[in-house]
Every structure is written in structure tokens, then in C-alpha cells.
Amino acid sequence: MRINITKKIDPNILEIVRHAKNYFSAIIALKFIGVFIWPVLTRLLSKDDYGTYALFQSYLGLGCILFPLYLYSSVGRYYYEEKDDKEYFIGSTIILSFLSYLLFLSLLLLFPGILKQSALLSTSIWFFILAIIPTKILSSIYYQILVPLKESKKYSRIQITEGVITITLILFFSFLINEHKYKGPIWGVCVASLIMGIYYLSFLIKHAKFSLNINHFRYIINYSIPQLPYALSAVILEQIGRIIIGETSNMSDVGIYSIGFQFGMIVTYFSSAIRTAYMPSFYEHMNNKNYSAISKLWTTFFSLFVIFNLFTMYFAKEGIMILTSKEYYDAVRIVPWVVLAYTFFDMFYIYSPYIEYKKQTGILSIIVITGGIINIFATRFFIEIFGYIGASYATATSYFAMFIITKLILIKSKNFKTVPFSTIRYEFIILIVFFLLLQIIVSSKLNFFLCFCIRLFFFLSAILLLVYKNRIKARS
């Protein structure tokens, strides 16, 4: 007798998982750039060269937010509005975003000394950054259109294509360039971005109608400008550790820290895919006042996050040993703290969409700015005491603060029912307990085999506690 298991699963979960599977494939393809070419890059590049490349990525992330003033972020939200002028809105967004970019570019041409003041990166690297930013504006608008339309397969197919092109060109230029080896991957990213930029532009030209619509401009500015500090602070939360380490230490430490941070960020590949697929369902349930359905979704998803996060924590050592050369092995110490930080971010994201739903992006900006400020001061403080690993302590502290602030704001507002903390409390306790156990195991001087066996035992124990959660709760 054949049993259809899917009948027992909430159809909302099935739909989200179906789209998340596609987004996850896309995220993995793009993240190949940062992780799965490590065996080559960490052998071709010195720690100093890898640190320079990592800082290039950090400043590129900041530039993509600041130069267009994050005006392109309004497209995804507008697609949830019940209006039939979306093509004109896309055109208005492109016009405003590029006007802002050209304004900043003009200022840099008039005052070239601004770039020279950056002691960490040369002027030539800044030219690469400035060339890539327009393509990132186009790609962001393109993907924001696909998500509300639930075009997850197309989203995945194009991002995988971009990932393959980028990897190929990074490797090609890394082998080709002999001097200043850090320029190899930078050239690869730049050329791949320009190639894909042509595709995004051709798509948007067909789907956009360019006009100067004052109502659209107001919507874009009112939605996006309050989110600008939010977006900048979010990038700072990820990247400030590398920048401050570069300022206070050396590029070698930046290289090691970047490897550990990027490995820890593997957990975001899975959670980002779920969150991207979840947003259309979130808006549907909020519009229908079906608040319990949202809690039910997170009951399942957060358990999966914790399992994946603990796996990454407990077996980071083996992963880094396989993916990098010996001089980068010290990056293992960074990983558990980065994973913990992004668990706190997942918790923050359970609640932050409620604020976004009400279009109160100013409140979100204040929350993330607060997290960014905490991160800057905490990073300098912890680095001074603990060295470059202190930057990961600061990141975890900042994301936890953001979660607490967001939860307190929603408790006080009482506008609608949010996901109760009790929904994720058990999983959160499991994660913290096994994180602390891992710190004890790592600090003890055990041989490799015994250490691996103990880590495997504790990881399997955590899975059992999560799988049999209902039975354990019933007995207690």
C-alpha cells in the first residue's frame, strides 16, 4: 500500500519548501565564489592577497548600497501592491537609482582625493568597485521582480548561470595574473558582473516604461530612504570586522578572519532560501489575519535552522581542512561564533517582517543602526582584548541586541499577534547548550579522532532532542 506522505504536511510549508529549494540552489551557486573555490584561491593567494580581495568585497557591498541610496529596494515591496502600473514603477526606480549613482560618481571625479584617503585599498581597486555597482543595481531590481511573482526556477537558473560564469573567470584571471595576485579574483568578479549586467539590462528594458511619475518618486523615496541606514548598517554588521582588523592589524589576519566568517555564513545559504520563499506567504497570511499559520511555519523552519547550524559548528574543522591550505586552519575558531550570530539574525528575522509589513521602515533602520553602532564599538573593544577573533564575538552580540530590541518593540505595539517566543524557545536552548559544550570540547586538548567522536556524539544527541521535542515536552 502506497502512502502519500505529503498529505500529512501543511501545504503552506510544501509550497515554501518547493520555492526554497530553488532559491537554495541559486544561493549555493553564488556562494561558490566565496567558499568552494577556496582550495584553489588559498593556494594561489597569500593571506595578504586574500585579505585584500576580502576587503574589496566588503567595500563593494557598501558601495552598492550607498551610491544608489538603496532606492532600488522599493521594487519588491511595490509588487505586493494591487496596482497595474508596475512597468512604469520599474522605470522610475531605474531613473532615480542611476541619477543617485551618477551624482556620487561626479563627486568622486571632482574630489579624487576621497579615494586616496582609503589606505586599505588602492585607487585602481576602487575603479573596479565603481564599474561593478551599476550591474548590481540592475540585478537587484531583476531579482526583486522574480520573488513576488514566485518565479523561483528562473531565479535559480539565472543565479546559477552567474555563479558558474563568475567562478570560471575568477579562476582564469587568478591563474593568468602573476603580480599582485589579489587582482585575479577582482578582475573575474568585474568581468562576470559586466556580462550579466548586459542580460539584466536587456530584460529590464523590455519590462520597464520610463517616465517621470511624481507619485512613484514619492513612494520610492518614502520607502527606500528610511531603509538606507538599515541597509548600510546591515552591511556594516557583516563587513566592519574585516575593515577594523585591516586598520588595526594586517591583511594576513583579515584573510584568516574572512575564511572563518565566510565558512560560518554557510548557514545563511539555507536560511536565506527559506526566508526568500517565505515572504509571499507571510504577506498573504498577514492580509488574511491568519497569524497562527505564520507561527506554525516557524515552528518547523527554526528547528531545521538549528540542526543545520549545529552541524556547521561541530564539523567546521573538517570542512576548513578540506577546503583551505594549512595556513588558514586557525579560521576554525571563528566559525561557531559566526554561526551563533546568524542564529540570532534568524530570530530577528522572525519578527522584523511584521514591522516591514506596516511599512515602518524607519523603525527597522533605527534597530539595525543600533546594531551597527554596537558592532563598531564592540568590535574595537573585543579585538583589543582577544585579537581578530573578537570581531566574531562583536557580531554575535550585535545580532542578539537587534533581536531583543525588535521583540520588545513588537510586544509594546500590540498591533497584531506575532510569533510567540515559546514557539522557538526549546530549539534556542538546545542551540545555546550545545554551543557551550562545543567550546569546552575545543578548549580541551584531545587528539583528533577522540575529539571528532565526541563532537559527533553530541551533534547526534542534539538531533534526537529536537526530533523528539514533543515527547520530551509531554513528559516534562
Side-chain angles (χ1 to χ4, degrees), residues 184-208:
I186 292 175
W187 265 104
V189 171
C190 184
V191 175
S193 296
L194 294 175
I195 292 171
M196 292 303 300
I198 295 171
Y199 168 78
Y200 297 132
L201 181 61
S202 64
F203 173 88
L204 292 174
I205 286 175
K206 293 177 183 177
H207 292 79

mmCIF file of all heavy atoms in Angstrom, residues 184-208:
data_model
loop_
_atom_site.group_PDB
_atom_site.id
_atom_site.type_symbol
_atom_site.label_atom_id
_atom_site.label_comp_id
_atom_site.label_asym_id
_atom_site.label_seq_id
_atom_site.Cartn_x
_atom_site.Cartn_y
_atom_site.Cartn_z
ATOM 1 N N GLY A 184 43.526 39.041 -9.566
ATOM 2 C CA GLY A 184 42.920 37.965 -10.351
ATOM 3 C C GLY A 184 41.439 37.793 -10.056
ATOM 4 O O GLY A 184 40.592 37.940 -10.950
ATOM 5 N N PRO A 185 41.071 37.477 -8.801
ATOM 6 C CA PRO A 185 39.645 37.321 -8.499
ATOM 7 C C PRO A 185 38.853 38.610 -8.676
ATOM 8 O O PRO A 185 37.663 38.571 -9.024
ATOM 9 C CB PRO A 185 39.634 36.850 -7.040
ATOM 10 C CG PRO A 185 40.977 37.175 -6.491
ATOM 11 C CD PRO A 185 41.929 37.125 -7.647
ATOM 12 N N ILE A 186 39.495 39.768 -8.458
ATOM 13 C CA ILE A 186 38.789 41.042 -8.645
ATOM 14 C C ILE A 186 38.428 41.241 -10.120
ATOM 15 O O ILE A 186 37.303 41.617 -10.456
ATOM 16 C CB ILE A 186 39.638 42.220 -8.124
ATOM 17 C CG1 ILE A 186 39.759 42.140 -6.604
ATOM 18 C CG2 ILE A 186 39.034 43.553 -8.541
ATOM 19 C CD1 ILE A 186 40.677 43.178 -5.992
ATOM 20 N N TRP A 187 39.374 40.955 -11.024
ATOM 21 C CA TRP A 187 39.095 41.012 -12.452
ATOM 22 C C TRP A 187 37.962 40.042 -12.809
ATOM 23 O O TRP A 187 37.073 40.361 -13.604
ATOM 24 C CB TRP A 187 40.347 40.656 -13.265
ATOM 25 C CG TRP A 187 41.147 41.842 -13.710
ATOM 26 C CD1 TRP A 187 42.327 42.294 -13.193
ATOM 27 C CD2 TRP A 187 40.823 42.727 -14.787
ATOM 28 N NE1 TRP A 187 42.755 43.402 -13.864
ATOM 29 C CE2 TRP A 187 41.847 43.693 -14.858
ATOM 30 C CE3 TRP A 187 39.760 42.798 -15.697
ATOM 31 C CZ2 TRP A 187 41.844 44.718 -15.801
ATOM 32 C CZ3 TRP A 187 39.751 43.822 -16.635
ATOM 33 C CH2 TRP A 187 40.781 44.763 -16.684
ATOM 34 N N GLY A 188 37.998 38.840 -12.238
ATOM 35 C CA GLY A 188 36.967 37.841 -12.520
ATOM 36 C C GLY A 188 35.581 38.315 -12.141
ATOM 37 O O GLY A 188 34.627 38.184 -12.922
ATOM 38 N N VAL A 189 35.454 38.885 -10.932
ATOM 39 C CA VAL A 189 34.161 39.390 -10.470
ATOM 40 C C VAL A 189 33.682 40.531 -11.370
ATOM 41 O O VAL A 189 32.503 40.600 -11.738
ATOM 42 C CB VAL A 189 34.261 39.869 -9.000
ATOM 43 C CG1 VAL A 189 32.984 40.586 -8.578
ATOM 44 C CG2 VAL A 189 34.533 38.695 -8.078
ATOM 45 N N CYS A 190 34.603 41.406 -11.755
ATOM 46 C CA CYS A 190 34.252 42.577 -12.560
ATOM 47 C C CYS A 190 33.740 42.168 -13.949
ATOM 48 O O CYS A 190 32.667 42.607 -14.383
ATOM 49 C CB CYS A 190 35.456 43.501 -12.690
ATOM 50 S SG CYS A 190 35.089 45.045 -13.562
ATOM 51 N N VAL A 191 34.480 41.328 -14.634
ATOM 52 C CA VAL A 191 34.089 40.928 -15.990
ATOM 53 C C VAL A 191 32.777 40.140 -15.963
ATOM 54 O O VAL A 191 31.893 40.346 -16.803
ATOM 55 C CB VAL A 191 35.214 40.100 -16.656
ATOM 56 C CG1 VAL A 191 34.753 39.579 -18.018
ATOM 57 C CG2 VAL A 191 36.471 40.944 -16.812
ATOM 58 N N ALA A 192 32.619 39.239 -14.977
ATOM 59 C CA ALA A 192 31.371 38.467 -14.864
ATOM 60 C C ALA A 192 30.183 39.398 -14.609
ATOM 61 O O ALA A 192 29.103 39.208 -15.181
ATOM 62 C CB ALA A 192 31.496 37.440 -13.744
ATOM 63 N N SER A 193 30.379 40.404 -13.767
ATOM 64 C CA SER A 193 29.296 41.346 -13.463
ATOM 65 C C SER A 193 28.887 42.129 -14.708
ATOM 66 O O SER A 193 27.691 42.371 -14.938
ATOM 67 C CB SER A 193 29.734 42.318 -12.360
ATOM 68 O OG SER A 193 29.987 41.632 -11.151
ATOM 69 N N LEU A 194 29.855 42.528 -15.509
ATOM 70 C CA LEU A 194 29.548 43.280 -16.729
ATOM 71 C C LEU A 194 28.799 42.414 -17.738
ATOM 72 O O LEU A 194 27.862 42.876 -18.401
ATOM 73 C CB LEU A 194 30.841 43.819 -17.351
ATOM 74 C CG LEU A 194 31.580 44.887 -16.520
ATOM 75 C CD1 LEU A 194 32.897 45.258 -17.182
ATOM 76 C CD2 LEU A 194 30.708 46.129 -16.341
ATOM 77 N N ILE A 195 29.198 41.144 -17.853
ATOM 78 C CA ILE A 195 28.498 40.226 -18.765
ATOM 79 C C ILE A 195 27.042 40.047 -18.338
ATOM 80 O O ILE A 195 26.117 40.156 -19.147
ATOM 81 C CB ILE A 195 29.217 38.862 -18.817
ATOM 82 C CG1 ILE A 195 30.583 39.001 -19.495
ATOM 83 C CG2 ILE A 195 28.363 37.826 -19.556
ATOM 84 C CD1 ILE A 195 31.448 37.754 -19.402
ATOM 85 N N MET A 196 26.835 39.757 -17.039
ATOM 86 C CA MET A 196 25.478 39.552 -16.548
ATOM 87 C C MET A 196 24.681 40.853 -16.565
ATOM 88 O O MET A 196 23.459 40.846 -16.752
ATOM 89 C CB MET A 196 25.511 38.978 -15.129
ATOM 90 C CG MET A 196 26.057 37.568 -15.048
ATOM 91 S SD MET A 196 25.168 36.381 -16.086
ATOM 92 C CE MET A 196 23.503 36.482 -15.437
ATOM 93 N N GLY A 197 25.369 41.986 -16.398
ATOM 94 C CA GLY A 197 24.694 43.279 -16.428
ATOM 95 C C GLY A 197 24.010 43.526 -17.758
ATOM 96 O O GLY A 197 22.928 44.143 -17.814
ATOM 97 N N ILE A 198 24.619 43.064 -18.842
ATOM 98 C CA ILE A 198 24.015 43.199 -20.173
ATOM 99 C C ILE A 198 22.689 42.429 -20.232
ATOM 100 O O ILE A 198 21.689 42.910 -20.771
ATOM 101 C CB ILE A 198 24.982 42.701 -21.260
ATOM 102 C CG1 ILE A 198 26.226 43.607 -21.303
ATOM 103 C CG2 ILE A 198 24.300 42.654 -22.623
ATOM 104 C CD1 ILE A 198 27.334 43.082 -22.186
ATOM 105 N N TYR A 199 22.680 41.214 -19.651
ATOM 106 C CA TYR A 199 21.442 40.418 -19.627
ATOM 107 C C TYR A 199 20.361 41.116 -18.812
ATOM 108 O O TYR A 199 19.206 41.241 -19.251
ATOM 109 C CB TYR A 199 21.705 39.030 -19.050
ATOM 110 C CG TYR A 199 20.428 38.284 -18.732
ATOM 111 C CD1 TYR A 199 19.680 37.678 -19.737
ATOM 112 C CD2 TYR A 199 19.939 38.232 -17.421
ATOM 113 C CE1 TYR A 199 18.483 37.032 -19.455
ATOM 114 C CE2 TYR A 199 18.756 37.588 -17.132
ATOM 115 C CZ TYR A 199 18.028 36.985 -18.151
ATOM 116 O OH TYR A 199 16.842 36.363 -17.856
ATOM 117 N N TYR A 200 20.703 41.585 -17.593
ATOM 118 C CA TYR A 200 19.713 42.237 -16.730
ATOM 119 C C TYR A 200 19.151 43.486 -17.405
ATOM 120 O O TYR A 200 17.946 43.748 -17.338
ATOM 121 C CB TYR A 200 20.336 42.603 -15.382
ATOM 122 C CG TYR A 200 20.812 41.418 -14.584
ATOM 123 C CD1 TYR A 200 22.092 41.409 -14.009
ATOM 124 C CD2 TYR A 200 20.013 40.302 -14.398
ATOM 125 C CE1 TYR A 200 22.533 40.318 -13.280
ATOM 126 C CE2 TYR A 200 20.444 39.212 -13.672
ATOM 127 C CZ TYR A 200 21.719 39.225 -13.118
ATOM 128 O OH TYR A 200 22.160 38.143 -12.398
ATOM 129 N N LEU A 201 20.029 44.250 -18.072
ATOM 130 C CA LEU A 201 19.592 45.467 -18.739
ATOM 131 C C LEU A 201 18.617 45.152 -19.874
ATOM 132 O O LEU A 201 17.585 45.826 -20.028
ATOM 133 C CB LEU A 201 20.802 46.229 -19.279
ATOM 134 C CG LEU A 201 20.502 47.550 -19.992
ATOM 135 C CD1 LEU A 201 19.815 48.529 -19.046
ATOM 136 C CD2 LEU A 201 21.789 48.162 -20.557
ATOM 137 N N SER A 202 18.922 44.118 -20.657
ATOM 138 C CA SER A 202 18.048 43.755 -21.776
ATOM 139 C C SER A 202 16.669 43.315 -21.276
ATOM 140 O O SER A 202 15.649 43.617 -21.900
ATOM 141 C CB SER A 202 18.688 42.644 -22.618
ATOM 142 O OG SER A 202 18.827 41.451 -21.853
ATOM 143 N N PHE A 203 16.633 42.614 -20.132
ATOM 144 C CA PHE A 203 15.353 42.185 -19.552
ATOM 145 C C PHE A 203 14.562 43.388 -19.057
ATOM 146 O O PHE A 203 13.357 43.508 -19.344
ATOM 147 C CB PHE A 203 15.610 41.216 -18.394
ATOM 148 C CG PHE A 203 14.367 40.836 -17.629
ATOM 149 C CD1 PHE A 203 13.590 39.760 -18.020
ATOM 150 C CD2 PHE A 203 13.964 41.572 -16.509
ATOM 151 C CE1 PHE A 203 12.437 39.418 -17.319
ATOM 152 C CE2 PHE A 203 12.827 41.240 -15.801
ATOM 153 C CZ PHE A 203 12.063 40.155 -16.214
ATOM 154 N N LEU A 204 15.221 44.287 -18.330
ATOM 155 C CA LEU A 204 14.514 45.407 -17.721
ATOM 156 C C LEU A 204 14.027 46.406 -18.764
ATOM 157 O O LEU A 204 12.971 47.032 -18.582
ATOM 158 C CB LEU A 204 15.425 46.100 -16.697
ATOM 159 C CG LEU A 204 15.738 45.271 -15.439
ATOM 160 C CD1 LEU A 204 16.754 45.979 -14.570
ATOM 161 C CD2 LEU A 204 14.466 44.985 -14.646
ATOM 162 N N ILE A 205 14.780 46.576 -19.851
ATOM 163 C CA ILE A 205 14.335 47.483 -20.910
ATOM 164 C C ILE A 205 13.010 47.003 -21.498
ATOM 165 O O ILE A 205 12.127 47.799 -21.829
ATOM 166 C CB ILE A 205 15.419 47.599 -22.008
ATOM 167 C CG1 ILE A 205 16.589 48.451 -21.488
ATOM 168 C CG2 ILE A 205 14.850 48.216 -23.287
ATOM 169 C CD1 ILE A 205 17.755 48.534 -22.431
ATOM 170 N N LYS A 206 12.842 45.690 -21.594
ATOM 171 C CA LYS A 206 11.603 45.124 -22.143
ATOM 172 C C LYS A 206 10.446 45.226 -21.156
ATOM 173 O O LYS A 206 9.279 45.262 -21.558
ATOM 174 C CB LYS A 206 11.819 43.656 -22.510
ATOM 175 C CG LYS A 206 12.787 43.436 -23.663
ATOM 176 C CD LYS A 206 12.987 41.950 -23.907
ATOM 177 C CE LYS A 206 14.006 41.703 -25.010
ATOM 178 N NZ LYS A 206 14.257 40.242 -25.193
ATOM 179 N N HIS A 207 10.755 45.256 -19.863
ATOM 180 C CA HIS A 207 9.704 45.216 -18.841
ATOM 181 C C HIS A 207 9.526 46.539 -18.096
ATOM 182 O O HIS A 207 8.773 46.597 -17.118
ATOM 183 C CB HIS A 207 9.993 44.108 -17.831
ATOM 184 C CG HIS A 207 9.874 42.727 -18.404
ATOM 185 N ND1 HIS A 207 10.867 42.169 -19.170
ATOM 186 C CD2 HIS A 207 8.867 41.813 -18.343
ATOM 187 C CE1 HIS A 207 10.496 40.950 -19.539
ATOM 188 N NE2 HIS A 207 9.290 40.716 -19.057
ATOM 189 N N ALA A 208 10.211 47.577 -18.557
ATOM 190 C CA ALA A 208 10.097 48.875 -17.893
ATOM 191 C C ALA A 208 9.614 49.935 -18.881
ATOM 192 O O ALA A 208 9.937 49.881 -20.070
ATOM 193 C CB ALA A 208 11.439 49.280 -17.305
#
